[in-house]
Amino acid sequence: MAVHHLLRRGVSSGSPLHPLRSLLLASQELGRRPLSSAAGDAASELRGAREDVKQLLKTTSCHPILVRLGWHDAGTYDKNIAEWPKCGGANGSLRFEIELKHGANAGLVNALKLIQPIKDKFSGVTYADLFQLASATAIEEAGGPKIPMIYGRVDVTAPEQCPPEGRLPAAGPPSPAEHLREVFYRMGLNDKEIVALSGAHTLGRARPERSGWGKPETKYTKNGPGAPGGQSWTSQWLKFDNSYFKDIKERRDEDLLVLPTDAVLFEDSSFKIYAEKYAKDQDAFFQDYAEAHAKLSNLGAKFDPPKVNEIKTIPILVR
């Protein structure tokens, strides 16, 4: 379903507004004022989907896998490929079996099963939008920062449009820093964003049967919540905070996971600047993480109508 733009006038009639103020009003007022256009219908569906995602999180504690779902759909983006959807990115392609079977996506079929009823209920919401909405909502509901999301992404329509395997980061490459830069620079992200996004490992667990990494269970995971087992990066692995950076730096608990791509954040001279900062300053981490997550969620996305400029012409914003 097409999503009409919210223009400089904001979401209601009246005198023209400064574009920055219009952007703020759009995000604040969509949840309050009824819209009679197709934009209103789209906003209503997105709000409904977001509320259902919140309920899903409360009943299943699936925050980590929903974050991963959004990341892995967007993280296939290649800035060097101009043509959509060959460039990959946030286009809903991860719903197709061929991409779900990529090695890095092991287990994500479970995330798709969890949110498919929400997609069926709110059919006007694209998979591309739903994946990113679910990911951002999971971060926020786990205590993380509010992420400035926009919506109106277009879905690919066939499995032939899925990206090739091998675009997502590996956990234990021979040269972790070089590998992280190769993957994330290809997406158009920088060192600060690499480190900030790595902080999302404060949520979730690694399971050896899926990734080949982690213990079968630890004192933090043997009783769940959710399915028991796996090894987490932090002791409170359903709480979004800066403990990932503190724990990676200290490395005092053998029951907490440290992958080569985690350890390198305090070993590489450029990465270390940000990792040290985030270990000390959670507010700084939250600010940088929110910006990086929002940027990631838009990589390779095609918007309907086109996202010409996030200030002058913006797709639906939902809060």
Side-chain angles (χ1 to χ4, degrees):
M1 177 172 61
V3 181
H4 288 295
H5 287 133
L6 300 174
L7 302 178
R8 293 190 181 201
R9 295 171 66 90
V11 296
S12 60
S13 60
S15 59
L17 299 172
H18 186 280
L20 284 173
R21 188 181 174 203
S22 175
L23 178 63
L24 292 172
L25 287 176
S27 63
Q28 294 169 359
E29 297 295 326
L30 262 176
R32 303 175 187 171
R33 300 188 183 184
L35 301 177
S36 58
S37 65
D41 295 337
S44 178
E45 288 225 315
L46 285 162
R47 285 195 299 267
R50 189 168 188 268
E51 289 305 310
D52 279 16
V53 167
K54 287 183 180 181
Q55 290 303 311
L56 178 66
L57 291 165
K58 290 178 182 178
T59 57
T60 64
S61 302
C62 62
H63 306 65
I65 201 169
L66 292 190
V67 173
R68 186 168 164 239
L69 180 70
W71 275 41
H72 282 216
D73 195 48
T76 60
Y77 178 64
D78 188 337
K79 68 177 183 180
N80 302 306
I81 301 175
E83 184 180 349
W84 187 90
K86 288 184 178 181
C87 60
N91 58 30
S93 63
L94 191 47
R95 73 189 189 273
F96 291 113
E97 184 179 12
I98 187 173
E99 188 170 345
L100 281 170
K101 287 186 174 180
H102 289 180
N105 293 330
L108 281 179
V109 64
N110 297 317
L112 189 63
K113 289 177 180 178
L114 284 171
I115 67 169
Q116 186 60 50
I118 300 175
K119 177 68 175 78
D120 294 340
K121 181 177 178 181
F122 300 100
S123 59
V125 178
T126 64
Y127 280 99
D129 271 352
L130 184 58
F131 292 168
Q132 300 309 319
L133 181 151
S135 182
T137 302
I139 293 290
E140 295 174 9
E141 291 298 296
K146 298 293 183 183
I147 299 172
M149 300 291 290
I150 57 176
Y151 297 101
R153 297 171 188 79
V154 176
D155 281 341
V156 297
T157 58
E160 293 77 18
Q161 296 173 306
C162 289
E165 187 164 8
R167 291 189 182 180
L168 295 171
S175 301
E178 181 180 342
H179 174 73
L180 286 174
R181 289 192 172 97
E182 179 183 355
V183 172
F184 284 92
Y185 284 10
R186 187 209 69 224
M187 298 183 207
L189 301 174
N190 58 32
D191 284 2
K192 180 176 77 170
E193 291 160 338
I194 291 172
V195 179
L197 290 171
S198 295
H201 275 160
T202 195
L203 298 180
R205 304 163 283 177
R207 295 182 178 274
E209 69 272 20
R210 294 180 184 173
S211 66
W213 293 90
K215 297 179 180 180
E217 71 173 26
T218 71
K219 62 179 178 282
Y220 301 118
T221 67
K222 63 181 180 180
N223 296 319
Q231 186 175 14
S232 58
W233 286 264
T234 62
S235 58
Q236 293 182 285
W237 48 268
L238 287 177
K239 179 182 179 182
F240 194 94
D241 56 21
N242 69 334
S243 59
Y244 165 83
F245 296 103
K246 294 179 179 179
D247 292 336
I248 296 298
K249 181 179 180 179
E250 295 175 0
R251 301 180 71 166
R252 296 177 181 174
D253 192 333
E254 292 184 356
D255 269 350
L256 296 181
L257 182 63
V258 180
L259 298 172
T261 46
D262 301 317
V264 77
L265 301 182
F266 284 95
E267 296 167 353
D268 178 88
S269 59
S270 178
F271 290 159
K272 185 177 181 179
I273 294 170
Y274 304 106
E276 292 278 4
K277 178 181 179 181
Y278 299 152
K280 295 177 183 177
D281 189 341
Q282 181 168 284
D283 290 341
F285 167 51
F286 273 25
Q287 179 177 337
D288 289 351
Y289 179 85
E291 293 174 1
H293 187 125
K295 182 175 178 179
L296 176 69
S297 76
N298 293 331
L299 295 180
K302 178 180 179 182
F303 288 87
D304 180 20
K307 181 169 69 71
V308 178
N309 183 293
E310 290 184 20
I311 300 299
K312 295 180 179 178
T313 311
I314 50 177
I316 290 294
L317 294 97
V318 172
R319 279 288 179 268

